[in-house]
């Protein structure tokens, strides 16, 4: 049920941001035409590209949310990582394109290629910065809430558009003040930020597709939770692996070997239930019980018990 709720959150956020992007793209396109701003027209195309990226997210989230089946007994969560990788590539391409345009203008020695636009283009750039930055924080909040790498990648795509609009604003303002060189310089700086974000998204998605373990802090918290359960005398092994945005945990605990099978099972079940309860990203927890040796039993006895 929780996964279905997460999928609904992701789809709702995606639909809202896609509609806003369509409206914003039309607004910037019209502003570019009426204000005779080539920079704003390019910015409008960039915003329109976000619609495509959001569609990728929606497809990835939809597929990753499918229940396990015979062909995919562990589920489809990694499809969300595939969506994040595609978005990272798309995001990097966008950043490189922005940087390349800036570099060619500087090399050509003719930064005045940026037309001097009207005030409407400047207003459109400001509106775009505010709206796209708001969309970034809105999408980022949802991505963190449901731990979605694809949605986080889309959030950064919104920020790349905001940064692109900052470049347009600086370029338009600079052109109006007699400093058109500011536009290509801003584009190069923005390119670096966007490519760095794309690389981080790409590496995060790759790590989640290669069974990387959880961070040390999470594993230590799991160890504490396990040792809190009655009947657990020690932990022989704990292994975690990221599967898309979910976590699989394999645990080997020690318990009194003189107990019945039912008692040992109850201990394992408590560990299983507490791990999945306290760590919402855990999709499945496997617990194996090893019998404690006589010396281990003695070491775990209290002084009263020894007496």
């Amino acid at each position: 049920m929780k996964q279905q709720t997460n999928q609904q959150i992701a789809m709702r956020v995606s639909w809202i941001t896609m509609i806003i992007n369509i409206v914003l793209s039309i607004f910037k396109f019209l502003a570019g035409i009426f204000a005779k701003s080539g920079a704003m027209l390019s910015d409008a195309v960039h915003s329109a590209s976000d619609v495509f990226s959001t569609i990728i997210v929606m497809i990835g989230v939809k597929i990753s949310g499918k229940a396990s089946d015979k062909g995919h007994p562990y589920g489809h969560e990694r499809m969300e990582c595939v969506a994040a990788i595609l978005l990272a590539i798309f995001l990097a391409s966008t950043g490189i394109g922005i940087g390349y345009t800036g570099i060619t203008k500087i090399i050509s020695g003719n930064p005045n290629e940026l037309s001097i636009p009207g005030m409407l283009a400047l207003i459109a750039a400001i509106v775009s910065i505010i709206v796209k930055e708001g969309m970034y924080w809105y999408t980022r909040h949802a991505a963190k809430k449901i731990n979605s790498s694809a949605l986080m990648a889309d959030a950064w795509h919104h920020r790349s558009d905001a940064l692109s609009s900052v470049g347009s604003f600086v370029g338009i303002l600079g052109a109006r003040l007699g400093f058109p060189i500011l536009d290509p310089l801003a584009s190069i700086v923005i390119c670096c930020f966007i490519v760095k974000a794309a690389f981080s998204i790409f590496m995060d998605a790759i790590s989640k597709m290669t069974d990387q373990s959880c961070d040390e802090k999470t594993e230590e918290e799991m160890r504490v939770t396990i040792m809190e359960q009655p009947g657990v005398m020690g932990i022989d092994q704990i292994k975690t692996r990221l599967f898309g945005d979910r976590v699989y945990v394999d645990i080997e605990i020690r318990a009194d070997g003189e107990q019945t099978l039912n008692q040992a099972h109850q201990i394992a079940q408590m560990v299983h239930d507490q791990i999945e309860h306290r760590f919402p990203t855990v999709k499945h927890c496997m617990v194996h019980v090893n019998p404690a040796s006589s010396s281990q039993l003695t070491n775990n006895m209290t002084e009263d018990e020894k007496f």
Side-chain angles (χ1 to χ4, degrees):
M1 176 60 93
K2 185 178 185 303
Q3 185 169 343
Q4 184 180 2
T5 302
N6 288 349
Q7 182 176 327
Q8 290 173 346
I9 292 173
M11 295 300 282
R12 184 179 69 251
V13 170
S14 296
W15 274 111
I16 291 173
T17 55
M18 186 165 66
I19 292 171
I20 293 175
N21 267 324
I22 292 172
V23 174
L24 187 62
S25 298
I26 294 173
F27 170 63
K28 291 200 288 189
F29 183 75
L30 293 175
I33 291 176
F34 289 112
K36 297 180 180 179
S37 171
M40 186 50 59
L41 287 173
S42 298
D43 208 13
V45 173
H46 189 187
S47 290
S49 72
D50 280 1
V51 176
F52 173 71
S53 72
T54 301
I55 291 174
I56 293 178
V57 170
M58 294 172 75
I59 294 174
V61 170
K62 190 72 174 178
I63 296 176
S64 67
K66 289 176 61 180
S68 303
D69 53 40
K70 185 176 181 180
H72 304 86
Y74 291 99
H76 303 77
E77 280 85 1
R78 281 181 175 163
M79 287 306 299
E80 191 166 344
C81 293
V82 174
I85 290 172
L86 291 175
L87 282 179
I89 295 172
F90 194 64
L91 185 60
S93 301
T94 300
I96 292 171
I98 292 173
Y100 177 77
T101 300
I103 291 173
T104 53
K105 285 183 179 181
I106 293 175
I107 292 177
S108 67
N110 184 25
N112 292 301
E113 286 180 5
L114 179 65
S115 59
I116 300 177
M119 182 59 70
L120 180 60
L122 202 61
I123 294 173
I126 294 173
V127 171
S128 178
I129 293 169
I130 295 172
V131 172
K132 293 301 294 187
E133 184 67 12
M135 290 171 66
Y136 162 75
W137 286 104
Y138 172 62
T139 308
R140 180 179 181 273
H141 173 73
K144 281 185 169 292
K145 182 177 181 180
I146 65 175
N147 193 36
S148 171
S149 57
L151 209 57
M152 183 61 76
D154 202 29
W156 274 102
H157 205 160
H158 295 319
R159 170 155 281 187
S160 78
D161 204 2
L163 291 173
S164 176
S165 294
V166 169
S168 296
F169 174 80
V170 172
I172 293 169
L173 183 62
R176 291 176 63 84
L177 295 176
F179 302 100
I181 190 66
L182 290 177
D183 177 47
L185 287 177
S187 296
I188 294 172
V189 174
I190 291 168
C191 165
C192 295
F193 280 111
I194 294 175
V195 171
K196 181 179 182 298
F199 180 75
S200 297
I201 293 169
F202 180 83
M203 293 307 297
D204 179 67
I206 289 296
S207 68
K208 290 178 178 178
M209 294 185 71
T210 53
D211 290 344
Q212 179 177 329
S213 63
C214 291
D215 58 273
E216 292 183 7
K217 180 182 177 181
T218 300
E219 288 197 357
E220 183 57 33
E221 289 174 352
M222 288 183 178
R223 289 180 181 275
V224 172
T225 298
I226 294 168
M227 292 304 299
E228 288 175 347
Q229 307 313 308
V232 176
M233 303 179 65
I235 302 173
D236 289 334
Q237 188 178 69
I238 176 170
K239 294 190 293 185
T240 61
R241 61 187 177 96
L242 299 177
F243 188 87
D245 290 315
R246 306 302 296 278
V247 181
Y248 281 82
V249 185
D250 295 317
I251 301 168
E252 289 189 19
I253 59 173
R254 289 195 304 274
D256 185 354
E258 298 301 318
Q259 297 180 107
T260 65
L261 178 59
N262 281 334
Q263 291 172 320
H265 172 73
Q266 288 175 356
I267 295 172
Q269 189 66 48
M270 282 191 296
V271 172
H272 170 277
D273 292 344
Q274 284 301 309
I275 289 293
E276 291 196 352
H277 173 69
R278 296 190 186 182
F279 301 89
T281 57
V282 173
K283 181 177 181 179
H284 182 63
C285 175
M286 180 68 72
V287 183
H288 178 78
V289 182
N290 295 324
S293 64
S294 299
S295 60
Q296 290 171 331
L297 285 172
T298 302
N299 289 336
N300 278 273
M301 290 171 62
T302 64
E303 292 300 321
D304 290 338
E305 289 174 325
K306 289 180 181 178
F307 181 77

